[in-house]
Amino acid sequence: MNDSGEVLILTPGSGKTTTAQALAAAPGLPKVHLHCDDFWHFIKNGAIPPYLAEAHKQNTVVVDVLTKAAAAYADGGYFVIVDGIIGPWFLEPFRRMAAPIHYIVLRPPLHVAIRRCQQRGGETLTDPEPITALHRQLSSLGALERHVLPTDGHKREDTLAAVVEAVKGGSFRLGRDEEKAVPSSHRTPL
């Protein structure tokens, strides 16, 4: 691992926050857990639900702030776990970071994603319509499909173990050129 730290983007699917929290609390490298929902909740007046089309400018600002926070922690030597809905449409600011980026898309079946969101409650998204739309958007990622980690039938421990293995192996590194293989010397020890 290099001195500037590394960043893991863990998106969307069921289990991302639970996995991110467990990974951040695990012994080893110093780690930071950036829960993306918090960055949207910082907007106290004029917030637009982020899944609406008219929220594009707001979402761009929030992702810019999130990226800067992740970069600052990574520059400080922390392993940064970004936990939130970071679809391919928001990856460009992360690609410009100096830190190595791991991108893992947790993909549960749609019915599991809807059930988990509704069980969570609180200020989280529970409406099946936007959850279904997001699931569709992330169901076919083209060149980024190699970043998908199916979670169907996984227990929490299974998902955590699969994420740890993916990061350690370097197979989910987000390259500037997706065709490049990750040299073994650049794989992250967790």
Side-chain angles (χ1 to χ4, degrees), residues 99-145:
I101 308 293
H102 302 267
Y103 184 59
I104 299 179
V105 179
L106 299 177
R107 186 182 286 161
L110 177 59
H111 72 279
V112 172
I114 290 171
R115 186 187 71 225
R116 290 285 307 266
C117 288
Q118 290 176 337
Q119 287 173 343
R120 206 171 298 129
E123 293 185 39
T124 63
L125 181 62
T126 58
D127 183 351
E129 190 174 324
I131 296 167
T132 301
L134 179 63
H135 193 274
R136 263 192 227 116
Q137 290 173 331
L138 293 165
S139 288
S140 180
L141 298 175
L144 292 172
E145 193 68 24

Side-chain angles (χ1 to χ4, degrees), residues 72-87:
Y73 279 117
D75 287 346
Y78 290 90
F79 183 84
V80 182
I81 304 151
V82 176
D83 153 28
I85 309 233
I86 306 294

